[in-house]
């Protein structure tokens, strides 16, 4: 008699081999290639103390990128700015250009016959949430400190200024890291470490390197950044409001909060309360993103702005002017 617990004879299935584990680049190797191109920035602060930050070497001519706020006081009072290299050299830096709006500055030092490793610039738009990153800098004067984390978020705005579009990371960033590089495992700089939210943990923010690449030509040529304006102030839309407005999926948009009378936005017919969806066909992801799209347009050349108003969509043409 057969038993209900009896099993039919047959070949036992072979166990599947474990899936191959992808091999990450050795972080120590990446650091070895990049650390020598990172410098400690020191300057006199307005209160008589020392402003501490970080920077990184952009090219063999001695161009160094840092945050504007690291050198702000030295520019105001005319004090020296020093770049201290990993091999102990103390170099006097001159200011090639700066942009307070994006908190970036371009310095220059004389490297003589001892060039520093240059750090290649990557593509911050291609970075994904969850990608591994390395932060290098001088937190609390502990020069060439290396911390590791991931990209925790992208497109963070409303934290510091009108052009915010920060990369968020949980790599440890502290006082003195400002201006130092956020490096991908390829060894390319994908961000410039800038600020941390003191009320939280693992909430560090870096300026996307693509913003630096956008303004570098102006910093090199003029020492400042030329921007366009249409006289419109926009604000981010909460997730709850986006749902009520029918903005679904990846469509974010921004709400027009203010239109200055007589300026291009007003002349184009934009109104307070309009939802800006695209600029020149590019979906608007945040207020900082909207400001950057307008700022990099050419003065005198019409740009197409897609808006939503009272459940209908319209396209208006605005002719930007140069921002004073």
């Amino acid at each position: 008699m057969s038993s209900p617990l009896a099993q039919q004879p047959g070949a036992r299935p072979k166990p599947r081999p474990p899936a191959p584990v992808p091999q990450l680049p050795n972080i120590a190797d990446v650091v070895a290639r990049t650390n020598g191109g990172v410098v400690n920035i020191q300057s006199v602060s307005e209160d008589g103390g020392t402003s501490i930050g970080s920077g990184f070497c952009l090219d063999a001519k001695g161009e160094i990128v840092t945050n504007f706020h690291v050198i702000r006081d030295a520019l105001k009072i005319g004090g020296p700015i020093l770049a201290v290299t990993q091999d102990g050299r103390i170099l006097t830096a001159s200011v090639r250009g700066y942009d307070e709006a994006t908190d970036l500055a371009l310095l220059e030092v004389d490297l003589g016959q001892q060039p520093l490793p240059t750090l290649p610039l990557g593509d911050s738009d291609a970075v994904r949430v969850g990608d591994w990153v390395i932060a290098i800098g001088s937190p609390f004067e502990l020069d060439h400190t290396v911390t590791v984390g991931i990209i925790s978020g992208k497109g963070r705005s409303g934290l510091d200024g009108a052009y915010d579009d920060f990369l968020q990371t949980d790599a440890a960033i502290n006082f003195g890291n400002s201006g130092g590089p956020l490096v991908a495992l390829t060894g390319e700089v994908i961000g410039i470490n800038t600020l941390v939210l003191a009320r939280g943990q693992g909430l560090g923010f870096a300026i996307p390197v693509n913003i630096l690449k956008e303004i570098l030509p102006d910093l090199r040529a003029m020492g400042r950044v030329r921007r366009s304006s249409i006289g419109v102030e926009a604000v981010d839309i909460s997730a709850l409001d986006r749902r009520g407005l029918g903005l679904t999926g990846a469509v974010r948009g921004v709400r027009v909060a203010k239109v200055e009378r007589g300026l291009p936005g007003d002349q184009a017919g934009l109104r307070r309360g309009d939802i800006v969806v695209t600029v020149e066909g590019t979906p608007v992801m945040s207020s900082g993103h909207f400001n950057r799209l307008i700022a990099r347009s050419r003065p005198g050349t019409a740009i197409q702005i897609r808006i939503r108003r009272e459940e209908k969509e319209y396209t208006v043409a605005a002719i930007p002017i140069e921002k004073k």
Side-chain angles (χ1 to χ4, degrees), residues 268 270 278 280 303-308 313-318:
L270 288 171
T278 66
E280 285 292 285
I303 55 175
Q304 304 298 310
I305 301 174
R306 190 74 174 167
I307 65 170
R308 287 191 181 189
E313 289 202 0
Y314 307 87
T315 299
V316 300

Side-chain angles (χ1 to χ4, degrees), residues 64-72 75 95-107 160-164 166 192 194 207-208 210-220 222-228 288 291-292 295-296 323-324:
I64 290 174
V65 174
T66 189
N67 280 143
F68 170 73
H69 75 257
V70 171
I71 63 164
R72 180 193 293 115
L75 280 174
V95 181
R96 181 84 177 268
Y98 63 87
D99 182 42
E100 188 170 4
T102 57
D103 196 19
L104 290 170
L106 184 64
L107 310 179
D160 196 44
Y163 300 99
D164 288 358
F166 291 118
I192 300 91
T194 298
I207 301 166
N210 285 6
I211 291 181
L212 171 65
K213 292 194 289 188
E214 285 176 9
I215 69 172
L216 261 179
D218 279 357
L219 292 181
R220 285 169 169 156
M222 301 180 295
R224 63 181 183 88
V225 178
R226 289 173 46 179
R227 289 189 172 89
S228 295
N291 292 337
R292 284 173 46 227
R296 70 189 187 199
K323 189 172 184 178
K324 302 301 183 184

Side-chain angles (χ1 to χ4, degrees), residues 73-87:
D73 286 0
L75 280 174
K76 186 181 295 185
I77 64 180
I81 300 170
L82 304 177
V84 184
T85 65
Q86 188 183 30
D87 58 14

Side-chain angles (χ1 to χ4, degrees), residues 159-182:
L159 295 172
D160 196 44
Y163 300 99
D164 288 358
D165 193 21
F166 291 118
L167 299 173
Q168 181 184 335
T169 179
D170 66 351
I173 295 174
N174 291 283
F175 176 78
N177 272 111
S178 291
L182 190 66

Side-chain angles (χ1 to χ4, degrees), residues 31-32 34-41 52-57 83-89 116-117 119 134-147 176-177 180-181:
V31 172
T34 57
N35 210 351
V38 179
V39 297
N40 172 233
I41 305 292
I52 302 294
S54 304
F56 62 93
C57 191
V84 184
T85 65
Q86 188 183 30
D87 58 14
R89 283 178 287 163
L116 295 176
L119 275 62
I134 304 165
I136 307 176
S138 303
F140 300 103
E141 300 186 59
L142 300 169
D143 63 298
H144 293 86
T145 293
V146 176
T147 57
N177 272 111

Side-chain angles (χ1 to χ4, degrees), residues 249-263:
V251 179
R252 289 183 176 268
V254 292
R255 191 192 306 273
V256 174
K258 181 180 179 181
V259 180
E260 295 189 46
R261 190 171 297 177
L263 291 186

